[in-house]
Amino acid sequence: MGTILIKGGTIVNEGNRYRSDIYIKDGILTSVNEIFIEDPPADEVIDAAGLIILPGIIDDQVHFRQPGLENKGTIESESRAAVAGGITSFMEMPNTSPPTTCNKTWREKMTMAANKAWCNYSFYLGATNENIEELVTADKRYTCGIKVFMGASTGNLLVDDEQALENIFEKVTLPIAVHSEDEQTIRENIARFRAESEQGLPEWHPQIRSREACIRSTKRALDYANRLQGHLHLLHISTAEEVELIRNAKSKEVPVTAEVCVHHLWFSDQDYREKGNLIKWNPAVKSPVDREALWNGLVDGTLDIVATDHAPHELDSKRESYFMAPSGGPMVEHSLLAMLEMAKDGRCSIEQVVDWMAHKPAKLFRIHNRGFIRKGYHADLVIVNPQDPWKVNGNETHYLVKWSPLDGTTFHNRICSTIVNGRVVYNHGVFNTDMKSPMPLIFNR
């Protein structure tokens, strides 16, 4: 695999910021905390003067759409966009076609990723009302977690049977990643709003996928975790009330961790009028008060991880009327840059961004030797120019669907290079196919 010397960059890692050279040999970080007086021999030398070097981003929630939904995205296309955004590892969700609800389909995805992905990978196994035996026999070394939809989803992925949920939280030892919205509340809201209009308005979304639906479901999930002691990992938290519920649960040592997504930190319900269905996600983007509570929850440690819930749809489908348009949008190419932009605006520090997007996912999921810039760890790095303004153009993105909800946004940071397992897979806009070296994530369990 050869050697790489990165010269003169500023490393941001484990709460510190310092100038250092980095030496990589055979995909492993062998020197990360010194300035070489005499440079060691290297197959490639990267001049990082004036640039910042971060550990590669780990995204714990993406939907890459393969198999069955390749018109929206593939493992190849979306992981390619991910490395352009500084993501070096992803964990992909089970709501594909067919859904990943048995270990056989999970293994098929793993094989597909080994041949197609641009970065490191793992896949969730999806829960149903009937597949507890599949869940308890999942490969703990390579399966990132179990996904439970407690709100509507595709196929048979809605878990609404009380005994099934009891079994999952009692018997499953992997992280139980929950989409937490109450299905009955949502159905009642849809019926009420459809009575007003069969077309609907995007501004209705936070009233239909309402805060009450989120709160009711999250209370229920926290109760399971408290009684049965399964590791509950709450995905894409969107309300102030849920932040307080999680804060209280953590104070009582309930085994819960939580994620917030970039779009819930960036947008608010004031943006529906301009963006429409382009910011239609489940759970819905809610009020500025909720957004502020999410930020406060991140800063005080109530919320653990920042991720994307990357879920591409074709642009024509997002232009349909509200009730017809699907929920979800592409984000992996711009998630790190959006967080760095908010750091520039004073919402947080770059050190905190690194903690939420690299360190915490590695620690929470117990990922082996990734998520940090440490000697002996895999060389997953992203090199960023902090002073190179540019504007997002949806047509020029690397997503298969060629659009972005951040279209027209000016970022002041730019991704220069992404290194995965010691190989420069993305460099100043160029993808190096010969350098693709994806590896499955290994979990220390």
Side-chain angles (χ1 to χ4, degrees):
M1 293 178 65
T3 53
I4 299 175
L5 175 62
I6 305 173
K7 292 283 295 177
T10 297
I11 293 175
V12 182
N13 183 58
E14 300 190 73
N16 297 307
R17 192 181 306 202
Y18 55 93
R19 185 172 171 268
S20 175
D21 297 337
I22 294 176
Y23 193 67
I24 301 167
K25 182 177 181 180
D26 295 333
I28 302 298
L29 295 163
T30 61
S31 179
V32 297
N33 196 20
E34 64 178 302
I35 301 294
F36 292 113
I37 297 172
E38 183 175 339
D39 292 345
D43 299 316
E44 182 175 1
V45 177
I46 298 173
D47 181 3
L51 308 179
I52 59 175
I53 305 170
L54 316 177
I57 300 308
I58 301 171
D59 194 333
D60 83 323
Q61 186 185 186
V62 302
H63 302 262
F64 282 176
R65 303 305 194 191
Q66 194 173 8
L69 303 166
E70 287 87 352
N71 56 310
K72 300 179 181 185
T74 66
I75 290 172
E76 192 281 334
S77 69
E78 305 313 287
S79 65
R80 189 172 182 264
V83 297
I87 292 171
T88 57
S89 299
F90 67 83
M91 304 179 207
E92 208 262 354
M93 288 296 171
N95 51 329
T96 48
S97 183
T100 315
T101 55
C102 68
N103 289 291
K104 179 177 180 294
T105 54
W106 176 87
R107 287 191 295 269
E108 289 169 353
K109 269 192 175 180
M110 291 287 283
T111 299
M112 195 181 309
N115 295 317
K116 301 291 186 182
W118 280 82
C119 54
N120 306 310
Y121 55 89
S122 184
F123 296 92
Y124 288 88
L125 191 60
T128 73
N129 284 326
E130 296 88 21
N131 73 339
I132 186 64
E133 291 305 317
E134 295 286 341
L135 306 184
V136 298
T137 57
D139 187 332
K140 296 177 177 59
R141 187 77 165 152
Y142 291 98
T143 307
C144 50
I146 303 301
K147 175 65 180 289
V148 178
F149 287 90
M150 291 177 68
S153 185
T154 56
N156 63 341
L157 282 168
L158 174 62
V159 184
D160 56 1
D161 179 79
E162 189 75 21
Q163 188 57 56
L165 287 166
E166 293 266 350
N167 286 339
I168 290 167
F169 278 89
E170 183 177 11
K171 297 179 180 180
V172 168
T173 58
L174 297 175
I176 303 165
V178 170
H179 180 131
S180 186
E181 292 183 285
D182 181 66
E183 171 69 5
Q184 186 58 39
T185 300
I186 294 167
R187 288 179 180 176
E188 291 171 0
N189 290 340
I190 289 173
R192 180 162 53 89
F193 277 86
R194 274 194 182 276
E196 292 188 36
S197 168
E198 279 295 320
Q199 301 299 307
L201 296 171
E203 296 95 310
W204 292 357
H205 197 53
Q207 299 172 70
I208 291 174
R209 311 289 298 212
S210 64
R211 64 192 323 102
E212 292 78 15
C214 297
I215 295 163
R216 183 173 297 176
S217 181
T218 295
K219 283 181 178 178
R220 187 180 177 202
L222 286 167
D223 175 65
Y224 287 125
N226 183 42
R227 288 189 294 108
L228 303 170
Q229 293 297 295
H231 174 186
L232 171 62
H233 182 52
L234 287 164
L235 302 170
H236 40 47
I237 293 301
S238 64
T239 70
E241 291 89 344
E242 288 174 287
V243 174
E244 190 55 37
L245 286 170
I246 296 163
R247 184 178 289 119
N248 183 57
K250 285 190 170 185
S251 73
K252 297 176 180 177
E253 299 186 351
V254 176
V256 58
T257 52
E259 168 209 278
V260 62
C261 289
V262 174
H263 49 272
H264 288 120
L265 297 171
W266 185 278
F267 297 107
S268 77
D269 58 7
Q270 297 178 358
D271 296 305
Y272 283 109
R273 191 168 298 277
E274 176 190 351
K275 294 288 186 177
N277 293 325
L278 298 184
I279 62 167
K280 181 184 178 185
W281 279 281
N282 299 336
V285 169
K286 296 184 175 68
S287 74
V289 171
D290 292 302
R291 181 174 59 187
E292 191 66 24
L294 296 174
W295 273 109
N296 291 338
L298 262 180
V299 170
D300 72 16
T302 301
L303 305 180
D304 301 278
I305 288 174
V306 174
T308 65
D309 192 17
H310 173 86
H313 294 282
E314 293 162 299
L315 188 54
D316 285 348
S317 69
K318 294 292 277 187
R319 287 172 172 161
E320 296 276 2
S321 63
Y322 165 71
F323 282 117
M324 292 294 293
S327 293
M331 190 60 78
V332 289
E333 191 170 341
H334 303 112
S335 57
L336 172 59
L337 294 170
M339 291 301 296
L340 291 176
E341 194 66 23
M342 289 186 277
K344 176 183 176 296
D345 292 341
R347 295 283 352 203
C348 59
S349 67
I350 298 176
E351 289 84 351
Q352 287 174 310
V353 171
V354 169
D355 191 39
W356 298 328
M357 300 185 80
H359 300 338
K360 288 282 183 65
K363 289 192 286 189
L364 190 156
F365 287 91
R366 302 181 185 177
I367 300 173
H368 182 68
N369 283 6
R370 299 192 192 276
F372 296 85
I373 301 177
R374 290 176 178 169
K375 184 177 180 180
Y377 273 50
H378 295 285
D380 295 341
L381 304 169
V382 54
I383 302 175
V384 178
N385 186 335
Q387 296 181 336
D388 188 3
W390 62 287
K391 186 176 289 188
V392 177
N393 182 335
N395 291 326
E396 296 176 356
T397 63
H398 297 98
Y399 309 127
L400 189 63
V401 293
K402 292 296 181 186
W403 67 273
S404 169
L406 295 166
D407 189 41
T409 300
T410 296
F411 289 132
H412 292 82
N413 296 269
R414 188 188 294 266
I415 307 297
C416 298
S417 304
T418 302
I419 299 171
V420 179
N421 299 318
R423 299 190 177 202
V424 183
V425 296
Y426 176 81
N427 191 37
H428 296 281
V430 176
F431 295 91
N432 299 315
T433 303
D434 293 341
M435 293 290 104
K436 283 175 64 175
S437 59
M439 297 175 67
L441 296 178
I442 296 174
F443 303 95
N444 294 322
R445 297 170 179 150

